[in-house]
């Protein structure tokens, strides 16, 4: 699952928090979560042993 921004989570603002996205990913049975390096770094000690992390280089809305 990819943690993204407003285009995906505007109707569910709690998922702007990367931790909520990681919890949803684990509970949903997914095998990896993709997010920004900052979001993953904040939560790596708590969740890296539970799910694979994929670091995004740039947010998709900023790429042209």
């Amino acid at each position: 699952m990819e943690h993204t921004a407003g285009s995906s989570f505007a109707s569910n603002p709690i998922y702007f928090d990367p931790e909520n996205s990681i919890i949803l990913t684990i509970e949903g049975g997914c095998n990896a979560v993709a997010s920004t390096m900052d979001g993953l770094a904040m939560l790596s000690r708590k969740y890296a042993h539970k799910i694979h992390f994929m670091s995004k280089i740039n947010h998709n809305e900023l790429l042209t």
Side-chain angles (χ1 to χ4, degrees), residues 1-5 9 15-23 25 32-44 47 51-60:
M1 185 176 101
E2 177 184 1
H3 177 263
T4 187
F9 295 125
Y15 291 108
F16 280 115
D17 180 351
E19 184 167 17
N20 288 331
S21 293
I22 292 173
I23 292 168
T25 303
V33 62
S35 188
T36 60
M37 187 61 149
D38 293 342
L40 298 175
M42 288 188 309
L43 299 163
S44 62
Y47 293 103
I51 194 157
H52 296 285
F53 282 3
M54 295 173 54
S55 181
K56 292 170 44 173
I57 300 209
N58 196 351
H59 191 279
N60 62 0

